[in-house]
Coordinates of all heavy atoms in Angstrom, one line a residue:
E16 N 47.5 78.2 96.1 CA 46.7 77.2 96.7 C 45.2 77.5 96.7 O 44.9 78.6 96.7 CB 47.1 77.0 98.2 CG 48.5 76.5 98.4 CD 48.6 75.6 99.5 OE1 47.7 74.8 99.8 OE2 49.7 75.6 100.2
V17 N 44.4 76.5 96.6 CA 43.0 76.6 96.6 C 42.5 76.8 98.0 O 42.8 76.0 98.9 CB 42.3 75.4 95.9 CG1 40.8 75.5 96.0 CG2 42.8 75.2 94.5
T18 N 41.7 77.9 98.2 CA 41.1 78.1 99.5 C 39.7 77.6 99.6 O 39.1 77.3 98.6 CB 41.1 79.6 99.9 OG1 40.2 80.3 99.0 CG2 42.5 80.2 99.8
V19 N 39.2 77.5 100.8 CA 37.8 77.1 101.0 C 36.9 78.2 100.4 O 35.9 77.8 99.8 CB 37.5 76.9 102.5 CG1 36.0 76.7 102.8 CG2 38.3 75.8 103.1
A20 N 37.3 79.4 100.4 CA 36.5 80.5 99.8 C 36.4 80.2 98.3 O 35.3 80.5 97.7 CB 37.2 81.9 100.0
D21 N 37.5 79.8 97.6 CA 37.4 79.5 96.2 C 36.4 78.4 95.9 O 35.6 78.5 95.0 CB 38.8 79.0 95.7 CG 39.9 80.0 95.8 OD1 39.6 81.2 95.7 OD2 41.0 79.6 96.0
V22 N 36.3 77.4 96.8 CA 35.4 76.3 96.6 C 33.9 76.8 96.8 O 33.0 76.5 96.0 CB 35.7 75.1 97.5 CG1 34.6 74.0 97.5 CG2 37.1 74.5 97.2
V23 N 33.7 77.6 97.9 CA 32.4 78.1 98.2 C 31.9 78.9 97.0 O 30.8 78.8 96.6 CB 32.4 78.9 99.5 CG1 31.1 79.6 99.7 CG2 32.6 78.0 100.7
R24 N 32.8 79.8 96.5 CA 32.4 80.7 95.4 C 32.0 79.8 94.1 O 31.1 80.2 93.4 CB 33.5 81.7 95.1 CG 33.6 82.8 96.1 CD 34.6 83.8 95.7 NE 34.8 84.8 96.7 CZ 35.9 84.9 97.5 NH1 36.9 84.0 97.3 NH2 36.0 85.8 98.4
A25 N 32.8 78.8 93.9 CA 32.6 77.9 92.7 C 31.2 77.2 92.8 O 30.5 77.0 91.8 CB 33.7 76.9 92.5
V26 N 30.9 76.8 94.0 CA 29.7 76.0 94.2 C 28.4 76.9 94.5 O 27.4 76.7 93.9 CB 29.8 75.0 95.4 CG1 28.5 74.3 95.8 CG2 30.9 74.0 95.1
E27 N 28.6 77.9 95.3 CA 27.5 78.8 95.7 C 27.4 80.1 95.1 O 26.4 80.8 95.2 CB 27.5 78.9 97.2 CG 27.5 77.7 98.0 CD 26.1 77.0 98.0 OE1 25.1 77.7 97.8 OE2 26.0 75.8 98.2
G28 N 28.5 80.6 94.5 CA 28.5 82.0 94.1 C 29.2 82.9 95.1 O 29.8 82.4 96.0
P29 N 28.9 84.2 95.0 CA 29.6 85.2 95.9 C 29.2 84.9 97.3 O 28.1 84.4 97.7 CB 29.0 86.5 95.4 CG 28.6 86.3 94.0 CD 28.2 84.9 93.9
I30 N 30.2 85.2 98.2 CA 30.0 85.0 99.6 C 29.2 86.1 100.2 O 29.4 87.3 100.0 CB 31.4 84.9 100.3 CG1 32.1 83.7 99.8 CG2 31.2 84.9 101.8 CD1 33.5 83.6 100.3
A31 N 28.2 85.7 101.0 CA 27.3 86.6 101.8 C 26.5 87.6 101.0 O 26.6 88.8 101.3 CB 28.2 87.3 102.9
H32 N 25.8 87.1 100.1 CA 24.8 88.0 99.4 C 23.6 88.2 100.4 O 23.3 87.3 101.2 CB 24.3 87.4 98.1 CG 25.1 87.9 96.9 ND1 25.0 87.5 95.7 CD2 26.1 88.9 96.9 CE1 25.8 88.1 94.9 NE2 26.5 88.9 95.6
V33 N 22.9 89.3 100.3 CA 21.7 89.6 101.0 C 20.6 89.8 100.0 O 20.7 90.6 99.1 CB 21.9 90.8 101.9 CG1 20.7 91.1 102.7 CG2 23.2 90.6 102.8
Q34 N 19.5 89.1 100.2 CA 18.4 89.3 99.3 C 18.9 89.1 97.8 O 18.5 89.9 96.9 CB 17.7 90.6 99.4 CG 17.2 90.8 100.8 CD 16.7 92.3 101.0 OE1 16.9 93.1 100.2 NE2 16.1 92.5 102.2
S35 N 19.8 88.2 97.6 CA 20.4 87.9 96.3 C 21.2 89.0 95.7 O 21.4 89.1 94.5 CB 19.3 87.5 95.3 OG 18.6 86.3 95.7
S36 N 21.6 90.0 96.5 CA 22.4 91.1 96.0 C 23.6 91.3 96.9 O 23.5 91.0 98.1 CB 21.5 92.4 96.0 OG 20.4 92.3 95.2
P37 N 24.7 91.9 96.4 CA 25.8 92.2 97.3 C 25.4 93.3 98.2 O 24.6 94.2 97.9 CB 26.9 92.7 96.3 CG 26.2 93.0 95.0 CD 24.9 92.2 95.0
P38 N 25.9 93.2 99.5 CA 25.4 94.1 100.5 C 25.7 95.6 100.2 O 25.0 96.5 100.6 CB 26.1 93.7 101.8 CG 27.2 92.7 101.4 CD 26.8 92.2 100.0
E39 N 26.8 95.8 99.4 CA 27.1 97.2 99.1 C 26.1 97.8 98.1 O 26.0 99.1 98.0 CB 28.5 97.4 98.5 CG 28.8 96.7 97.2 CD 29.1 95.2 97.3 OE1 29.1 94.6 98.4 OE2 29.5 94.7 96.3
S40 N 25.2 97.0 97.5 CA 24.2 97.6 96.6 C 22.9 97.8 97.2 O 22.0 98.3 96.6 CB 24.1 96.7 95.4 OG 23.4 95.5 95.7
I41 N 22.7 97.4 98.5 CA 21.4 97.5 99.2 C 21.5 98.7 100.1 O 22.4 98.9 100.8 CB 21.1 96.2 100.0 CG1 21.1 95.0 99.1 CG2 19.8 96.4 100.7 CD1 20.9 93.7 99.8
E42 N 20.5 99.6 99.9 CA 20.4 100.7 100.8 C 19.2 100.6 101.8 O 18.1 100.1 101.4 CB 20.1 102.0 100.0 CG 21.3 102.4 99.1 CD 21.1 103.7 98.4 OE1 20.4 104.6 98.9 OE2 21.7 103.8 97.3
Y43 N 19.5 100.9 103.0 CA 18.5 100.8 104.1 C 18.2 102.2 104.5 O 19.1 103.1 104.4 CB 19.0 100.0 105.3 CG 19.2 98.5 104.9 CD1 20.5 98.1 104.5 CD2 18.2 97.6 105.0 CE1 20.7 96.8 104.2 CE2 18.4 96.3 104.7 CZ 19.7 95.9 104.3 OH 19.9 94.5 104.0
R44 N 17.0 102.5 105.0 CA 16.6 103.8 105.4 C 16.2 103.8 106.9 O 15.9 102.8 107.4 CB 15.4 104.3 104.5 CG 15.8 104.4 103.1 CD 14.5 104.8 102.2 NE 14.7 104.5 100.8 CZ 15.2 105.3 100.0 NH1 15.7 106.5 100.4 NH2 15.4 105.0 98.7
G45 N 16.2 105.0 107.4 CA 15.7 105.2 108.7 C 16.6 104.5 109.7 O 17.8 104.6 109.6
N46 N 16.0 103.9 110.7 CA 16.7 103.3 111.8 C 17.6 102.1 111.3 O 18.5 101.7 112.0 CB 15.7 102.7 112.9 CG 15.1 103.9 113.7 OD1 15.6 105.0 113.8 ND2 13.9 103.6 114.2
A47 N 17.3 101.6 110.2 CA 18.0 100.4 109.6 C 19.2 100.9 108.7 O 19.9 100.0 108.2 CB 17.1 99.5 108.8
E48 N 19.5 102.1 108.6 CA 20.4 102.6 107.6 C 21.8 102.0 107.9 O 22.6 101.9 106.9 CB 20.5 104.1 107.6 CG 21.2 104.8 108.8 CD 21.3 106.3 108.7 OE1 22.0 106.7 107.7 OE2 20.7 107.0 109.5
H49 N 22.2 101.6 109.1 CA 23.5 101.1 109.3 C 23.6 99.6 109.1 O 24.6 99.0 109.3 CB 24.0 101.5 110.7 CG 24.1 102.9 110.9 ND1 25.1 103.7 110.3 CD2 23.4 103.8 111.5 CE1 25.0 104.9 110.6 NE2 23.9 105.1 111.3
L50 N 22.5 99.0 108.8 CA 22.4 97.5 108.5 C 23.3 97.1 107.4 O 23.9 96.0 107.4 CB 21.0 97.1 108.3 CG 20.7 95.6 108.2 CD1 21.2 94.9 109.5 CD2 19.2 95.3 108.0
Q51 N 23.5 98.0 106.4 CA 24.4 97.7 105.3 C 25.8 97.4 105.8 O 26.5 96.5 105.4 CB 24.4 98.8 104.3 CG 25.4 98.6 103.1 CD 25.5 99.8 102.2 OE1 25.7 100.9 102.7 NE2 25.3 99.6 100.9
E52 N 26.3 98.2 106.8 CA 27.6 98.1 107.3 C 27.7 96.7 108.1 O 28.8 96.1 108.0 CB 27.9 99.2 108.3 CG 28.1 100.5 107.6 CD 28.3 101.6 108.6 OE1 29.4 101.8 109.2 OE2 27.3 102.3 108.9
V53 N 26.6 96.3 108.7 CA 26.6 95.1 109.4 C 26.8 93.9 108.4 O 27.6 93.0 108.7 CB 25.3 94.9 110.2 CG1 25.2 93.5 110.8 CG2 25.2 95.9 111.4
W54 N 26.1 93.9 107.3 CA 26.2 92.9 106.3 C 27.6 92.9 105.7 O 28.2 91.8 105.4 CB 25.1 93.0 105.3 CG 23.8 92.5 105.8 CD1 22.7 93.3 105.9 CD2 23.4 91.2 106.2 NE1 21.6 92.6 106.4 CE2 22.1 91.3 106.6 CE3 24.1 90.1 106.4 CZ2 21.4 90.2 107.1 CZ3 23.5 89.0 106.9 CH2 22.1 89.0 107.3
I55 N 28.2 94.0 105.5 CA 29.5 94.1 104.9 C 30.5 93.5 105.9 O 31.4 92.8 105.6 CB 29.9 95.5 104.5 CG1 29.0 95.8 103.2 CG2 31.3 95.7 104.2 CD1 29.1 97.2 102.7
A56 N 30.3 93.8 107.2 CA 31.2 93.2 108.2 C 31.1 91.7 108.3 O 32.0 91.0 108.5 CB 30.9 93.9 109.6
V57 N 29.8 91.2 108.2 CA 29.6 89.8 108.1 C 30.4 89.1 107.0 O 31.1 88.1 107.2 CB 28.1 89.4 108.0 CG1 27.9 88.0 107.7 CG2 27.4 89.8 109.3
R58 N 30.3 89.7 105.8 CA 31.0 89.2 104.7 C 32.5 89.2 104.9 O 33.2 88.3 104.6 CB 30.7 90.0 103.4 CG 31.4 89.5 102.2 CD 31.0 90.2 100.9 NE 31.3 91.7 101.0 CZ 31.0 92.6 100.1 NH1 30.2 92.2 99.1 NH2 31.3 93.8 100.3
A59 N 33.0 90.3 105.5 CA 34.5 90.4 105.8 C 34.9 89.3 106.8 O 36.0 88.7 106.6 CB 34.8 91.8 106.3
S60 N 34.0 89.1 107.8 CA 34.4 88.0 108.7 C 34.4 86.6 108.1 O 35.3 85.9 108.4 CB 33.3 88.0 109.9 OG 33.4 89.2 110.6
L61 N 33.5 86.4 107.2 CA 33.5 85.1 106.5 C 34.8 85.0 105.7 O 35.4 83.9 105.7 CB 32.3 85.0 105.6 CG 30.9 84.7 106.3 CD1 29.8 84.8 105.3 CD2 31.0 83.3 106.9
R62 N 35.1 86.0 105.0 CA 36.3 86.0 104.2 C 37.6 85.8 105.0 O 38.5 85.1 104.6 CB 36.5 87.3 103.4 CG 35.5 87.5 102.3 CD 35.8 88.8 101.6 NE 34.9 89.0 100.5 CZ 34.8 90.2 99.9 NH1 35.4 91.3 100.3 NH2 34.0 90.3 98.8
T63 N 37.6 86.4 106.2 CA 38.7 86.2 107.1 C 39.0 84.8 107.4 O 40.2 84.3 107.4 CB 38.5 87.0 108.4 OG1 38.4 88.4 108.1 CG2 39.6 86.8 109.4
V64 N 38.0 84.0 107.5 CA 38.2 82.6 107.8 C 38.4 81.8 106.5 O 39.4 81.1 106.3 CB 37.0 82.0 108.6 CG1 37.1 80.5 108.7 CG2 36.9 82.6 110.0
L65 N 37.4 81.9 105.6 CA 37.4 81.1 104.4 C 38.6 81.4 103.4 O 39.0 80.4 102.7 CB 36.1 81.3 103.6 CG 34.8 80.9 104.3 CD1 33.6 81.2 103.5 CD2 34.9 79.5 104.8
E66 N 39.1 82.6 103.4 CA 40.2 82.9 102.5 C 41.6 82.5 103.1 O 42.6 82.6 102.4 CB 40.2 84.3 102.0 CG 39.0 84.6 101.1 CD 39.0 86.1 100.6 OE1 39.7 86.9 101.2 OE2 38.1 86.3 99.7
H67 N 41.6 82.1 104.3 CA 42.8 81.7 105.0 C 43.0 80.2 105.3 O 44.0 79.8 105.8 CB 43.1 82.5 106.2 CG 43.3 84.0 105.9 ND1 42.3 84.9 105.9 CD2 44.4 84.6 105.6 CE1 42.8 86.1 105.6 NE2 44.1 86.0 105.4
V68 N 41.9 79.5 104.9 CA 42.0 78.0 105.0 C 42.1 77.4 103.6 O 41.3 77.7 102.8 CB 40.7 77.5 105.8 CG1 40.8 76.0 105.8 CG2 40.6 78.1 107.1
T69 N 43.1 76.6 103.4 CA 43.3 76.0 102.1 C 42.8 74.5 102.2 O 42.6 74.0 103.3 CB 44.8 76.0 101.7 OG1 45.5 75.1 102.6 CG2 45.4 77.4 101.7
L70 N 42.7 74.0 101.0 CA 42.3 72.5 101.0 C 43.4 71.7 101.6 O 43.1 70.7 102.3 CB 42.0 72.1 99.5 CG 40.8 72.8 98.9 CD1 40.6 72.2 97.5 CD2 39.6 72.6 99.7
S71 N 44.6 72.1 101.5 CA 45.7 71.4 102.1 C 45.6 71.4 103.6 O 45.9 70.5 104.3 CB 47.1 72.0 101.7 OG 47.3 71.9 100.4
D72 N 45.2 72.6 104.2 CA 45.0 72.7 105.6 C 43.9 71.7 106.1 O 44.1 71.1 107.1 CB 44.5 74.1 106.0 CG 45.5 75.2 105.7 OD1 46.7 74.9 105.7 OD2 45.0 76.4 105.5
L73 N 42.8 71.6 105.3 CA 41.8 70.7 105.7 C 42.2 69.2 105.7 O 42.0 68.5 106.6 CB 40.6 70.8 104.7 CG 39.8 72.1 104.8 CD1 38.7 72.2 103.7 CD2 39.2 72.3 106.2
V74 N 43.0 68.9 104.6 CA 43.4 67.5 104.5 C 44.4 67.2 105.6 O 44.4 66.1 106.2 CB 44.0 67.3 103.1 CG1 44.7 65.9 103.0 CG2 43.0 67.4 102.0
S75 N 45.3 68.1 105.9 CA 46.3 67.8 106.9 C 45.8 68.0 108.3 O 46.4 67.5 109.3 CB 47.5 68.8 106.7 OG 47.1 70.1 107.1
G76 N 44.7 68.7 108.5 CA 44.1 68.9 109.8 C 44.8 70.0 110.5 O 44.6 70.3 111.7
Q77 N 45.7 70.8 109.8 CA 46.5 71.9 110.4 C 45.8 73.2 110.0 O 46.2 73.8 109.1 CB 47.9 71.8 109.9 CG 48.7 70.6 110.3 CD 48.8 70.5 111.8 OE1 49.2 71.4 112.4 NE2 48.6 69.3 112.3
L78 N 44.8 73.6 110.7 CA 44.1 74.8 110.5 C 44.9 76.0 111.0 O 45.6 75.9 112.0 CB 42.7 74.8 111.1 CG 41.8 73.7 110.6 CD1 40.4 73.7 111.4 CD2 41.5 73.8 109.1
P79 N 44.7 77.2 110.4 CA 45.4 78.4 110.9 C 45.0 78.6 112.3 O 43.9 78.3 112.8 CB 44.9 79.5 110.0 CG 44.5 78.8 108.7 CD 44.0 77.4 109.1
D80 N 45.9 79.2 113.1 CA 45.7 79.4 114.5 C 44.4 80.3 114.8 O 43.7 80.0 115.7 CB 46.9 80.2 115.1 CG 48.1 79.3 115.2 OD1 48.0 78.0 115.2 OD2 49.2 79.8 115.4
E81 N 44.2 81.3 113.9 CA 43.0 82.1 114.2 C 41.7 81.4 114.0 O 40.7 81.6 114.6 CB 43.1 83.4 113.3 CG 43.2 83.2 111.8 CD 44.7 83.1 111.3 OE1 45.6 83.1 112.1 OE2 44.8 83.0 110.1
V82 N 41.7 80.4 113.1 CA 40.5 79.6 112.8 C 40.3 78.7 114.0 O 39.2 78.5 114.5 CB 40.6 78.8 111.5 CG1 39.5 77.8 111.3 CG2 40.7 79.8 110.3
E83 N 41.4 78.0 114.5 CA 41.3 77.1 115.6 C 40.8 77.9 116.9 O 40.0 77.4 117.6 CB 42.6 76.4 115.9 CG 42.9 75.3 114.8 CD 44.1 74.5 115.2 OE1 44.9 74.9 116.0 OE2 44.2 73.4 114.5
S84 N 41.3 79.1 117.0 CA 40.9 80.0 118.1 C 39.5 80.3 118.1 O 38.8 80.2 119.1 CB 41.8 81.2 118.2 OG 41.4 82.1 119.2
L85 N 39.0 80.6 117.0 CA 37.5 80.9 116.8 C 36.7 79.7 117.1 O 35.7 79.8 117.8 CB 37.2 81.5 115.4 CG 37.6 82.9 115.1 CD1 37.5 83.2 113.6 CD2 36.8 83.9 115.9
A86 N 37.1 78.6 116.6 CA 36.3 77.3 116.8 C 36.4 76.8 118.2 O 35.5 76.1 118.7 CB 36.8 76.3 115.8
A87 N 37.4 77.2 118.9 CA 37.6 76.8 120.3 C 36.7 77.5 121.3 O 36.6 77.1 122.4 CB 39.1 76.9 120.7
Q88 N 36.1 78.6 120.9 CA 35.3 79.3 121.8 C 34.0 78.6 122.0 O 33.3 78.2 121.0 CB 34.9 80.7 121.2 CG 36.2 81.6 121.0 CD 35.9 82.9 120.4 OE1 34.7 83.3 120.3 NE2 36.9 83.6 119.9
P89 N 33.6 78.3 123.3 CA 32.4 77.5 123.5 C 31.2 78.0 122.8 O 30.3 77.2 122.3 CB 32.3 77.6 125.0 CG 33.7 77.8 125.5 CD 34.3 78.7 124.5
D90 N 31.0 79.3 122.8 CA 29.8 79.9 122.2 C 29.7 79.6 120.7 O 28.6 79.6 120.1 CB 29.8 81.4 122.4 CG 28.4 82.0 122.1 OD1 27.4 81.4 122.6 OD2 28.4 83.1 121.5
A91 N 30.9 79.3 120.0 CA 30.9 79.0 118.6 C 30.1 77.7 118.3 O 29.6 77.6 117.2 CB 32.3 78.9 118.1
W92 N 30.0 76.9 119.2 CA 29.4 75.6 119.1 C 27.9 75.6 119.4 O 27.2 74.5 119.3 CB 30.1 74.5 119.9 CG 31.5 74.3 119.4 CD1 32.6 75.0 119.7 CD2 31.9 73.3 118.4 NE1 33.7 74.5 119.0 CE2 33.3 73.5 118.2 CE3 31.2 72.3 117.7 CZ2 34.0 72.7 117.4 CZ3 32.0 71.6 116.8 CH2 33.3 71.7 116.7
V93 N 27.4 76.7 119.8 CA 26.0 76.8 120.2 C 25.2 77.3 119.0 O 25.4 78.4 118.4 CB 25.8 77.8 121.3 CG1 24.3 77.9 121.7 CG2 26.6 77.4 122.6
A94 N 24.2 76.4 118.5 CA 23.3 76.8 117.4 C 22.3 77.8 117.9 O 21.7 77.6 119.0 CB 22.7 75.6 116.8
R95 N 22.0 78.8 117.1 CA 20.9 79.7 117.4 C 20.0 80.0 116.3 O 20.4 80.0 115.2 CB 21.6 81.1 117.9 CG 22.4 80.9 119.1 CD 22.8 82.2 119.6 NE 23.7 82.0 120.7 CZ 24.7 82.8 121.1 NH1 24.9 83.9 120.5 NH2 25.5 82.5 122.1

């Protein structure tokens, strides 16, 4: 099945690049040295959602439970 991640990659390219580079190729120094791990975790989080939602899920309105649970959190709807 085609996932939302497949569509995003086809339209936008790799998921969660930082400064036009994959996060594993960027090195930070000093106090920011752990920022690379943060960006990798962000990418993993995006994949967790996007790779588990198929186009069929979208059409049917039957999203995976974990996606519905994340979207149901009030804070998820607050733009920052």
Side-chain angles (χ1 to χ4, degrees):
E16 293 217 35
V17 177
T18 68
V19 174
D21 296 329
V22 175
V23 170
R24 286 185 185 106
V26 174
E27 300 289 335
I30 294 173
H32 268 175
V33 180
Q34 302 170 355
S35 300
S36 299
E39 66 274 8
S40 71
I41 300 172
E42 291 185 31
Y43 296 93
R44 298 176 196 274
N46 291 334
E48 73 177 298
H49 297 288
L50 191 53
Q51 180 185 48
E52 291 173 79
V53 171
W54 285 119
I55 289 173
V57 166
R58 181 176 61 188
S60 294
L61 285 171
R62 286 178 178 167
T63 296
V64 172
L65 298 178
E66 291 181 349
H67 291 94
V68 177
T69 68
L70 295 184
S71 296
D72 295 335
L73 291 176
V74 171
S75 71
Q77 298 295 315
L78 298 176
D80 291 341
E81 55 273 3
V82 173
E83 287 187 347
S84 177
L85 288 169
Q88 296 176 17
D90 195 46
W92 292 87
V93 177
R95 296 187 187 153

